[in-house]
Amino acid sequence: LRDAEGKLLRLRIEAGDEKRQRLARRVALREKAAIVSRLVADGGKVRFLYREEPDNEQDSGWRVFRGEESPEYADDPNNTVLVPLGSIVDRNEELKAVIEAPPGSAFERRSEDQPFEFVDDFEPG
């Protein structure tokens, strides 16, 4: 944009305050898919999850598990399903505390009644 004299103007647009922007990010994230173990999709509580870089626009990057899956079980794509992240959060409200963590984050809990703890030695692969 330029003013009446032709000088270049700066334009600043605010999309709400930080609270509104965070809410908008959270709503958008809830609509994206997570790769979820069938043990969780079938009603089990989440005990382990990690986030990697999303594979595409619809992917949240979250990979969600019961925490009882063997490596062989987890490696079989027939044992995972795509689920909207929001539906997993709705069934496991304690996920609200960690769901905005960046890619590279991992969390676990020892039992269903304990809070999630950050896992600092996990590397997906």
Side-chain angles (χ1 to χ4, degrees):
L1 288 174
R2 297 188 181 272
D3 66 11
E5 298 172 4
K7 289 183 181 177
L8 190 60
L9 298 175
R10 273 190 163 168
L11 179 62
R12 180 178 177 182
I13 299 174
E14 284 193 31
D17 59 13
E18 178 57 35
K19 185 177 177 181
R20 285 193 187 275
Q21 290 176 21
R22 184 173 183 188
L23 178 61
R25 286 191 304 269
R26 186 174 283 231
V27 167
L29 182 60
R30 288 176 54 91
E31 294 174 0
K32 295 185 177 200
I35 296 176
V36 179
S37 164
R38 286 193 183 276
L39 296 178
V40 171
D42 292 342
K45 296 287 273 183
V46 176
R47 290 192 45 208
F48 178 75
L49 69 160
Y50 67 93
R51 190 171 190 194
E52 55 188 18
E53 289 295 332
D55 292 333
N56 56 54
E57 283 290 317
Q58 294 80 33
D59 182 14
S60 68
W62 282 108
R63 311 306 181 235
V64 183
F65 299 90
R66 173 79 181 120
E68 300 170 351
E69 297 86 349
S70 68
E72 295 78 22
Y73 183 95
D75 287 343
D76 183 346
N78 292 317
N79 293 327
T80 58
V81 293
L82 291 175
V83 177
L85 185 61
S87 67
I88 297 298
V89 173
D90 290 345
R91 286 192 359 234
N92 299 266
E93 293 229 353
E94 55 282 353
L95 291 175
K96 289 180 180 179
V98 301
I99 213 65
E100 291 183 70
S105 300
F107 299 91
E108 69 180 344
R109 58 184 175 175
R110 300 190 196 299
S111 68
E112 293 177 9
D113 60 346
Q114 292 184 333
F116 283 99
E117 296 178 11
F118 181 75
V119 177
D120 58 5
D121 61 350
F122 176 76
E123 290 191 33

PDB file of all heavy atoms in Angstrom, residues 5-21:
ATOM      1  N   GLU A   5       1.004  10.435  -1.205  1.00  0.00           N
ATOM      2  CA  GLU A   5       2.226  10.940  -1.814  1.00  0.00           C
ATOM      3  C   GLU A   5       3.040   9.830  -2.477  1.00  0.00           C
ATOM      4  O   GLU A   5       4.118  10.074  -2.998  1.00  0.00           O
ATOM      5  CB  GLU A   5       3.081  11.647  -0.753  1.00  0.00           C
ATOM      6  CG  GLU A   5       2.383  12.847  -0.137  1.00  0.00           C
ATOM      7  CD  GLU A   5       3.144  13.410   1.038  1.00  0.00           C
ATOM      8  OE1 GLU A   5       4.263  12.921   1.355  1.00  0.00           O
ATOM      9  OE2 GLU A   5       2.625  14.331   1.669  1.00  0.00           O
ATOM     10  N   GLY A   6       2.543   8.593  -2.441  1.00  0.00           N
ATOM     11  CA  GLY A   6       3.230   7.485  -3.077  1.00  0.00           C
ATOM     12  C   GLY A   6       4.230   6.766  -2.194  1.00  0.00           C
ATOM     13  O   GLY A   6       4.940   5.874  -2.650  1.00  0.00           O
ATOM     14  N   LYS A   7       4.315   7.167  -0.929  1.00  0.00           N
ATOM     15  CA  LYS A   7       5.223   6.489  -0.011  1.00  0.00           C
ATOM     16  C   LYS A   7       4.670   5.115   0.354  1.00  0.00           C
ATOM     17  O   LYS A   7       3.457   4.957   0.538  1.00  0.00           O
ATOM     18  CB  LYS A   7       5.401   7.296   1.277  1.00  0.00           C
ATOM     19  CG  LYS A   7       6.195   8.560   1.108  1.00  0.00           C
ATOM     20  CD  LYS A   7       6.358   9.211   2.468  1.00  0.00           C
ATOM     21  CE  LYS A   7       7.123  10.503   2.361  1.00  0.00           C
ATOM     22  NZ  LYS A   7       7.218  11.166   3.677  1.00  0.00           N
ATOM     23  N   LEU A   8       5.580   4.167   0.451  1.00  0.00           N
ATOM     24  CA  LEU A   8       5.202   2.815   0.838  1.00  0.00           C
ATOM     25  C   LEU A   8       4.787   2.810   2.303  1.00  0.00           C
ATOM     26  O   LEU A   8       5.473   3.324   3.169  1.00  0.00           O
ATOM     27  CB  LEU A   8       6.375   1.857   0.619  1.00  0.00           C
ATOM     28  CG  LEU A   8       6.090   0.386   0.755  1.00  0.00           C
ATOM     29  CD1 LEU A   8       5.031  -0.058  -0.257  1.00  0.00           C
ATOM     30  CD2 LEU A   8       7.363  -0.409   0.531  1.00  0.00           C
ATOM     31  N   LEU A   9       3.632   2.235   2.571  1.00  0.00           N
ATOM     32  CA  LEU A   9       3.121   2.155   3.937  1.00  0.00           C
ATOM     33  C   LEU A   9       3.320   0.749   4.497  1.00  0.00           C
ATOM     34  O   LEU A   9       3.349  -0.223   3.761  1.00  0.00           O
ATOM     35  CB  LEU A   9       1.621   2.480   3.970  1.00  0.00           C
ATOM     36  CG  LEU A   9       1.209   3.866   3.522  1.00  0.00           C
ATOM     37  CD1 LEU A   9      -0.305   3.972   3.502  1.00  0.00           C
ATOM     38  CD2 LEU A   9       1.776   4.904   4.479  1.00  0.00           C
ATOM     39  N   ARG A  10       3.413   0.705   5.792  1.00  0.00           N
ATOM     40  CA  ARG A  10       3.422  -0.587   6.474  1.00  0.00           C
ATOM     41  C   ARG A  10       2.001  -0.909   6.890  1.00  0.00           C
ATOM     42  O   ARG A  10       1.268  -0.042   7.341  1.00  0.00           O
ATOM     43  CB  ARG A  10       4.261  -0.528   7.743  1.00  0.00           C
ATOM     44  CG  ARG A  10       5.669  -0.802   7.551  1.00  0.00           C
ATOM     45  CD  ARG A  10       6.298  -0.945   8.907  1.00  0.00           C
ATOM     46  NE  ARG A  10       7.560  -1.607   8.737  1.00  0.00           N
ATOM     47  CZ  ARG A  10       8.458  -1.688   9.669  1.00  0.00           C
ATOM     48  NH1 ARG A  10       8.233  -1.169  10.847  1.00  0.00           N
ATOM     49  NH2 ARG A  10       9.587  -2.302   9.434  1.00  0.00           N
ATOM     50  N   LEU A  11       1.675  -2.152   6.777  1.00  0.00           N
ATOM     51  CA  LEU A  11       0.356  -2.592   7.183  1.00  0.00           C
ATOM     52  C   LEU A  11       0.534  -3.724   8.178  1.00  0.00           C
ATOM     53  O   LEU A  11       1.236  -4.697   7.910  1.00  0.00           O
ATOM     54  CB  LEU A  11      -0.441  -3.086   5.970  1.00  0.00           C
ATOM     55  CG  LEU A  11      -1.840  -3.610   6.228  1.00  0.00           C
ATOM     56  CD1 LEU A  11      -2.727  -2.512   6.797  1.00  0.00           C
ATOM     57  CD2 LEU A  11      -2.427  -4.143   4.943  1.00  0.00           C
ATOM     58  N   ARG A  12      -0.078  -3.574   9.327  1.00  0.00           N
ATOM     59  CA  ARG A  12       0.004  -4.612  10.353  1.00  0.00           C
ATOM     60  C   ARG A  12      -1.396  -5.149  10.593  1.00  0.00           C
ATOM     61  O   ARG A  12      -2.322  -4.395  10.864  1.00  0.00           O
ATOM     62  CB  ARG A  12       0.564  -4.045  11.645  1.00  0.00           C
ATOM     63  CG  ARG A  12       0.664  -5.068  12.734  1.00  0.00           C
ATOM     64  CD  ARG A  12       1.264  -4.491  13.966  1.00  0.00           C
ATOM     65  NE  ARG A  12       1.263  -5.495  15.002  1.00  0.00           N
ATOM     66  CZ  ARG A  12       1.677  -5.294  16.211  1.00  0.00           C
ATOM     67  NH1 ARG A  12       2.148  -4.117  16.553  1.00  0.00           N
ATOM     68  NH2 ARG A  12       1.640  -6.256  17.096  1.00  0.00           N
ATOM     69  N   ILE A  13      -1.511  -6.466  10.471  1.00  0.00           N
ATOM     70  CA  ILE A  13      -2.803  -7.109  10.701  1.00  0.00           C
ATOM     71  C   ILE A  13      -2.656  -8.045  11.887  1.00  0.00           C
ATOM     72  O   ILE A  13      -1.752  -8.877  11.921  1.00  0.00           O
ATOM     73  CB  ILE A  13      -3.243  -7.918   9.462  1.00  0.00           C
ATOM     74  CG1 ILE A  13      -3.397  -6.984   8.274  1.00  0.00           C
ATOM     75  CG2 ILE A  13      -4.538  -8.668   9.745  1.00  0.00           C
ATOM     76  CD1 ILE A  13      -3.682  -7.711   6.976  1.00  0.00           C
ATOM     77  N   GLU A  14      -3.530  -7.882  12.855  1.00  0.00           N
ATOM     78  CA  GLU A  14      -3.524  -8.780  13.997  1.00  0.00           C
ATOM     79  C   GLU A  14      -4.716  -9.707  13.885  1.00  0.00           C
ATOM     80  O   GLU A  14      -5.826  -9.272  13.655  1.00  0.00           O
ATOM     81  CB  GLU A  14      -3.597  -7.998  15.307  1.00  0.00           C
ATOM     82  CG  GLU A  14      -2.291  -7.348  15.663  1.00  0.00           C
ATOM     83  CD  GLU A  14      -2.271  -6.851  17.089  1.00  0.00           C
ATOM     84  OE1 GLU A  14      -2.940  -7.447  17.954  1.00  0.00           O
ATOM     85  OE2 GLU A  14      -1.590  -5.852  17.316  1.00  0.00           O
ATOM     86  N   ALA A  15      -4.449 -10.982  14.054  1.00  0.00           N
ATOM     87  CA  ALA A  15      -5.510 -11.989  13.986  1.00  0.00           C
ATOM     88  C   ALA A  15      -5.929 -12.359  15.402  1.00  0.00           C
ATOM     89  O   ALA A  15      -5.949 -13.515  15.784  1.00  0.00           O
ATOM     90  CB  ALA A  15      -5.033 -13.206  13.221  1.00  0.00           C
ATOM     91  N   GLY A  16      -6.220 -11.355  16.193  1.00  0.00           N
ATOM     92  CA  GLY A  16      -6.606 -11.598  17.572  1.00  0.00           C
ATOM     93  C   GLY A  16      -5.394 -11.626  18.484  1.00  0.00           C
ATOM     94  O   GLY A  16      -4.252 -11.634  18.045  1.00  0.00           O
ATOM     95  N   ASP A  17      -5.670 -11.657  19.757  1.00  0.00           N
ATOM     96  CA  ASP A  17      -4.577 -11.710  20.729  1.00  0.00           C
ATOM     97  C   ASP A  17      -4.014 -13.133  20.802  1.00  0.00           C
ATOM     98  O   ASP A  17      -4.492 -14.046  20.136  1.00  0.00           O
ATOM     99  CB  ASP A  17      -5.056 -11.231  22.106  1.00  0.00           C
ATOM    100  CG  ASP A  17      -6.209 -12.060  22.651  1.00  0.00           C
ATOM    101  OD1 ASP A  17      -6.496 -13.148  22.113  1.00  0.00           O
ATOM    102  OD2 ASP A  17      -6.831 -11.609  23.628  1.00  0.00           O
ATOM    103  N   GLU A  18      -2.995 -13.324  21.597  1.00  0.00           N
ATOM    104  CA  GLU A  18      -2.338 -14.638  21.694  1.00  0.00           C
ATOM    105  C   GLU A  18      -3.317 -15.728  22.114  1.00  0.00           C
ATOM    106  O   GLU A  18      -3.264 -16.848  21.620  1.00  0.00           O
ATOM    107  CB  GLU A  18      -1.159 -14.571  22.671  1.00  0.00           C
ATOM    108  CG  GLU A  18      -0.442 -15.903  22.860  1.00  0.00           C
ATOM    109  CD  GLU A  18       0.098 -16.514  21.573  1.00  0.00           C
ATOM    110  OE1 GLU A  18       0.529 -15.781  20.673  1.00  0.00           O
ATOM    111  OE2 GLU A  18       0.098 -17.758  21.464  1.00  0.00           O
ATOM    112  N   LYS A  19      -4.228 -15.396  23.002  1.00  0.00           N
ATOM    113  CA  LYS A  19      -5.209 -16.384  23.461  1.00  0.00           C
ATOM    114  C   LYS A  19      -6.090 -16.863  22.305  1.00  0.00           C
ATOM    115  O   LYS A  19      -6.320 -18.056  22.136  1.00  0.00           O
ATOM    116  CB  LYS A  19      -6.066 -15.784  24.576  1.00  0.00           C
ATOM    117  CG  LYS A  19      -7.028 -16.753  25.195  1.00  0.00           C
ATOM    118  CD  LYS A  19      -7.788 -16.099  26.339  1.00  0.00           C
ATOM    119  CE  LYS A  19      -8.801 -17.046  26.928  1.00  0.00           C
ATOM    120  NZ  LYS A  19      -9.557 -16.439  28.021  1.00  0.00           N
ATOM    121  N   ARG A  20      -6.556 -15.943  21.476  1.00  0.00           N
ATOM    122  CA  ARG A  20      -7.394 -16.315  20.324  1.00  0.00           C
ATOM    123  C   ARG A  20      -6.597 -17.089  19.277  1.00  0.00           C
ATOM    124  O   ARG A  20      -7.100 -18.024  18.678  1.00  0.00           O
ATOM    125  CB  ARG A  20      -8.001 -15.069  19.685  1.00  0.00           C
ATOM    126  CG  ARG A  20      -9.131 -14.478  20.480  1.00  0.00           C
ATOM    127  CD  ARG A  20      -9.871 -13.451  19.632  1.00  0.00           C
ATOM    128  NE  ARG A  20     -10.842 -12.762  20.392  1.00  0.00           N
ATOM    129  CZ  ARG A  20     -12.082 -13.205  20.609  1.00  0.00           C
ATOM    130  NH1 ARG A  20     -12.445 -14.351  20.102  1.00  0.00           N
ATOM    131  NH2 ARG A  20     -12.935 -12.506  21.319  1.00  0.00           N
ATOM    132  N   GLN A  21      -5.362 -16.686  19.052  1.00  0.00           N
ATOM    133  CA  GLN A  21      -4.527 -17.394  18.086  1.00  0.00           C
ATOM    134  C   GLN A  21      -4.253 -18.822  18.557  1.00  0.00           C
ATOM    135  O   GLN A  21      -4.288 -19.761  17.758  1.00  0.00           O
ATOM    136  CB  GLN A  21      -3.211 -16.640  17.873  1.00  0.00           C
ATOM    137  CG  GLN A  21      -3.396 -15.334  17.131  1.00  0.00           C
ATOM    138  CD  GLN A  21      -2.099 -14.566  17.016  1.00  0.00           C
ATOM    139  OE1 GLN A  21      -1.018 -15.118  17.128  1.00  0.00           O
ATOM    140  NE2 GLN A  21      -2.200 -13.266  16.796  1.00  0.00           N
TER     141      GLN A  21
END
